[in-house]
Amino acid sequence: MDYNMFKEVILDGMREIFSEDTECSIHEVLKNNGVRLDGLVINTKENKVSPTIYLNDFYNSFLGGMEIEDILEEIERVFKDNQLDKSYDASNLMNFNESKKKIAYKLINYEMNKELLKDIPHRKYLDLAVVYFIVIRDQHIENATVLINNKWIEEWKITEEDLYNIARENSPQMFKAEIVNIKDMVISLLEEKTDDTTILPDADCNMYVLTNQDKQYGAATILYENIISDFAKKNNSNIYILPSSIHELILVPGNSLVPKEGLNDMVKEVNATQVPIQEILSDHAYIYNIGDDSITFC
């Protein structure tokens, strides 16, 4: 069965599972970094806001031997587990006074998202773009997000500058920044999985992860006021900033023993081999200059 037939089989199967009052459809969705996925949307009569369930990975599971019946059951489970509470009023999304307190920003790669950026408000930052989203939280879903597009700000009669100022105030409160030594992070992860402390790293590591407490779109913390500058003052040095992904950054004090030559090559290598394409932020390393409080390319 080829992929197009697979999509039709899944769509027919979901229509059989749900009642006539439910609308099932598949749409191509442009995701981060130019990735296009096929999203299944299931809209019920009670709730017009539905999670998008991407079918591409399910097809890979099918090719790996997973039965269609099992895939349909899994999609149904994912839908029910991620459906918003029926009391959620989707019309509030278009109410600016209701939505503005839920607006935050994130960073994505500028060049890799030129097509996406045509339709969404944004501003350029280094080789990145600042874009904006609304956070949806209810009793079932902790952090669903909706990307804000140009039609929304036209409807709201606001500008990108207005969005930026709102997100700049909201983001540090909604997604609190944290800086963790990589050694401490590794120890914490290992301790969760093993009691054998002999495999824990014992060497000092002068590298740190900058993200937020949700570990979601944490690279945007580079925009938070005083986060990098305070860290630089604490270390009394410039700070090298390595874009690990859209979710986190690696901070390296300039007075550490980490070799500075080849940082860009290292970032490119990690992106090419370790980071999913949708989560790549940049192939460039940056440096925070403590003297003039600026961030530039290495």
Side-chain angles (χ1 to χ4, degrees):
M1 184 187 305
D2 67 14
Y3 181 53
N4 288 328
M5 184 177 293
F6 171 82
K7 289 190 294 183
E8 291 300 321
V9 169
I10 294 299
L11 190 58
D12 290 342
M14 297 313 296
R15 285 170 175 165
E16 289 182 8
I17 289 174
F18 290 95
S19 68
E20 295 180 356
D21 292 332
T22 300
E23 180 182 347
C24 301
S25 58
I26 296 175
H27 305 276
E28 185 180 71
V29 181
L30 178 60
K31 302 290 286 183
N32 191 44
N33 293 337
V35 173
R36 294 181 180 274
L37 298 177
D38 291 300
L40 172 68
V41 177
I42 305 169
N43 285 323
T44 65
K45 185 176 181 180
E46 295 82 8
N47 197 334
K48 294 297 183 181
V49 176
S50 172
T52 300
I53 302 171
Y54 297 104
L55 299 182
N56 307 72
D57 286 342
F58 283 108
Y59 182 62
N60 291 332
S61 297
F62 169 74
L63 293 178
M66 191 173 183
E67 298 291 337
I68 289 293
E69 291 77 10
D70 295 331
I71 291 175
L72 291 172
E73 289 181 4
E74 178 66 11
I75 291 175
E76 182 182 11
R77 183 195 65 77
V78 171
F79 169 74
K80 290 180 177 179
D81 287 349
N82 291 277
Q83 190 176 21
L84 291 171
D85 186 80
K86 292 180 180 180
S87 64
Y88 183 84
D89 187 356
S91 65
N92 285 338
L93 285 175
M94 292 309 299
N95 184 323
F96 178 64
N97 288 329
E98 287 291 327
S99 289
K100 67 179 181 181
K101 55 193 174 185
K102 305 169 187 174
I103 293 173
Y105 53 35
K106 63 181 178 179
L107 285 172
I108 61 176
N109 186 277
Y110 186 87
E111 288 295 327
M112 296 177 71
N113 288 284
K114 279 193 170 181
E115 184 175 355
L116 177 65
L117 294 174
K118 292 177 182 177
D119 298 320
I120 61 176
H122 64 277
R123 64 174 53 195
K124 194 169 185 182
Y125 176 78
L126 298 169
D127 59 334
L128 312 173
V130 182
V131 299
Y132 309 94
F133 61 93
I134 294 175
V135 178
I136 300 176
R137 291 183 172 130
D138 79 344
Q139 62 179 351
H140 300 299
I141 300 177
E142 184 175 352
N143 274 334
T145 64
V146 179
L147 195 63
I148 296 173
N149 60 40
N150 290 332
K151 293 180 180 178
W152 287 38
I153 65 171
E154 290 174 6
E155 178 76 18
W156 289 340
K157 294 180 171 57
I158 63 171
T159 65
E160 184 276 333
E161 181 74 20
D162 296 325
L163 268 184
Y164 180 77
N165 289 331
I166 293 168
R168 182 174 60 180
E169 180 178 350
N170 289 346
S171 295
Q173 300 177 32
M174 297 168 63
F175 299 96
K176 296 184 183 300
E178 65 176 22
I179 298 177
V180 182
N181 186 283
I182 285 182
K183 174 186 174 182
D184 295 335
M185 178 176 288
V186 171
I187 289 175
S188 177
L189 291 172
L190 288 175
E191 286 180 337
E192 291 178 3
K193 297 180 179 180
T194 180
D195 293 327
D196 184 4
T197 58
T198 61
I199 67 173
L200 299 178
D202 55 5
D204 289 334
C205 179
N206 206 20
M207 300 177 70
Y208 300 80
V209 175
L210 170 61
T211 184
N212 58 47
Q213 291 179 352
D214 292 78
K215 310 296 188 296
Q216 182 180 28
Y217 309 135
T221 51
I222 194 176
L223 302 172
Y224 292 5
E225 187 176 3
N226 297 329
I227 289 295
I228 303 292
S229 60
D230 286 352
F231 183 74
K233 291 174 184 175
K234 180 179 178 181
N235 287 273
N236 192 31
S237 72
N238 295 337
I239 303 296
Y240 292 96
I241 304 169
L242 311 183
S244 177
S245 75
I246 59 173
H247 302 300
E248 60 197 14
L249 304 166
I250 305 297
L251 305 183
V252 183
N255 54 14
S256 70
L257 298 179
V258 176
K260 313 309 181 298
E261 299 77 14
L263 286 180
N264 284 322
D265 291 337
M266 182 175 72
V267 171
K268 290 178 183 178
E269 175 67 19
V270 171
N271 283 339
T273 60
Q274 304 296 326
V275 184
I277 186 170
Q278 286 192 65
E279 297 184 5
I280 291 174
L281 182 61
S282 172
D283 279 340
H284 295 286
Y286 314 112
I287 183 170
Y288 171 80
N289 300 283
I290 194 170
D292 59 6
D293 188 31
S294 67
I295 296 177
T296 57
F297 295 105
C298 278

